[in-house]
Amino acid sequence: MTRPIRPGAVAALREHLRGRLVSPNDTGYDTARRVWNGRIDRRPSLIAFCADEKEVVVVLRFAREYELLVAVWGGGHSCAGTAVCDDGLVIDLSLMKAIEVDAAARSAQAQGGVLWGELDRATQAFGLAVPGGTDSEVGIAGLTLGGGNGWLMGVHGATCDNLLSADVVMADGRTVTANCNERRGEFWDCDVVPLSAAPGWSDGHGRCGPLCIRGCPQGLAPFP
């Protein structure tokens, strides 16, 4: 059961976002709620296009205050349609596209709205590849946190095996960096709970921000 949203609260939330805050009466609503699986037809109350992690925190606190069901959109490619929910709030990360490649450390840090083809282009410029999926339009966050099976898995393991760290926005709005040495509980949750694509609200779990993933040496080889 959600709480009634006080007058002016949605307008105030909109002022905190550089991206759009889309409601059912807005132009573009049907496009914004559409996911890859055409059989999914869910109608959220609000869709917030966040430009950075600070805006994600603001939107999560709004959802918590009014007890709204939350879904997080990374690439919108989940077959189950978990990037969108009925009557709740969708946090759309598609504006969050920053990628930083550290060639010396053989790693890449990417925000939650990056698609796999975009990460491949960035890492390949340095002769690296992150073991990922088989579809360039899949979001890196959902694939990584859901396991990640792909062409390089037989040599370098699943995508989640190469996850080095993740910035996680907790249910109470705190942002923490989790890895195998710090915030280990949240880090192992990243490996088993697809936080960036899971609808609903659960205290103690969070929503995933930038991921730091290991890059493996990989030249431009033709497909056999």
Side-chain angles (χ1 to χ4, degrees), residues 57-121:
V57 170
V58 169
V59 174
L60 278 175
R61 286 176 174 165
F62 180 93
R64 185 181 180 90
E65 179 179 355
Y66 294 106
E67 299 179 351
L68 293 171
L69 185 68
V70 173
V72 183
W73 181 303
H77 207 275
S78 166
C79 289
T82 51
V84 66
C85 59
D86 279 322
D87 303 321
L89 192 156
V90 173
I91 298 175
D92 191 307
L93 306 180
S94 61
L95 298 179
M96 297 171 57
K97 296 286 193 181
I99 302 172
E100 295 182 14
V101 179
D102 187 334
R106 292 182 177 175
S107 66
Q109 181 162 315
Q111 290 184 311
V114 172
L115 303 181
W116 212 269
E118 295 166 339
L119 182 62
D120 275 343
R121 284 191 291 272

